[in-house]
Amino acid sequence: MAVQASAVPTSGSADILARLAEVIESRRGADPSRSYVAKLLAGGDDRILKKVGEEATEVVIAAMQGEKARIVSETADLWFHTLVMLAHHELRPQDVLAELMRREGLSGIDEKASRTAG
């Protein structure tokens, strides 16, 4: 299955990370036997970070194999689990987006040097 630009959703897609963050937050304190997110959050850093690492590895494998549909699917899994990690640390997607906006227009080399200089 090839991923085509025409298949990219546009209506409301800019808000999907915020909407997912709201769903994740709504699962905080839910019954872990009935909610996957609640189960992850109840497991703390250990459970959440193992899952993020697992999903990152699956993205790398998919990319190495060049399977576009699988790359997209695995990246969606990674992003979702990263949102859970952010929620666990009381952060929101907007925090990451603000950092990306701060870096916009900067040379990657210069930006990295500014992190190590301080």
Side-chain angles (χ1 to χ4, degrees):
M1 174 176 122
V3 178
Q4 300 173 344
S6 62
V8 175
T10 56
S11 176
S13 61
D15 298 324
I16 187 65
L17 295 176
R19 290 195 310 269
L20 280 171
E22 289 299 320
V23 170
I24 290 166
E25 194 58 41
S26 76
R27 301 300 195 270
R28 187 183 297 282
D31 180 355
S33 69
R34 300 182 53 86
S35 166
Y36 176 67
V37 170
K39 184 176 183 177
L40 286 171
L41 291 170
D45 272 335
D46 188 57
R47 176 175 234 127
I48 296 165
L49 297 178
K50 282 180 182 175
K51 194 62 183 172
V52 169
E54 173 188 318
E55 297 301 340
T57 300
E58 290 174 2
V59 167
V60 170
I61 292 168
M64 288 177 66
Q65 294 171 346
E67 299 175 28
K68 291 182 183 190
R70 190 161 162 244
I71 292 168
V72 169
S73 176
E74 296 298 350
T75 300
D77 289 347
L78 175 59
W79 286 12
F80 175 79
H81 288 90
T82 300
L83 290 172
V84 173
M85 179 205 60
L86 289 171
H88 176 69
H89 288 279
E90 299 179 2
L91 294 165
R92 309 281 294 173
Q94 294 86 339
D95 298 313
V96 178
L97 294 172
E99 176 62 11
L100 289 171
M101 287 172 46
R102 182 190 72 76
R103 295 180 186 186
E104 187 176 19
L106 294 176
S107 155
I109 294 170
D110 292 342
E111 193 284 326
K112 187 170 183 177
S114 74
R115 286 187 275 156
T116 57

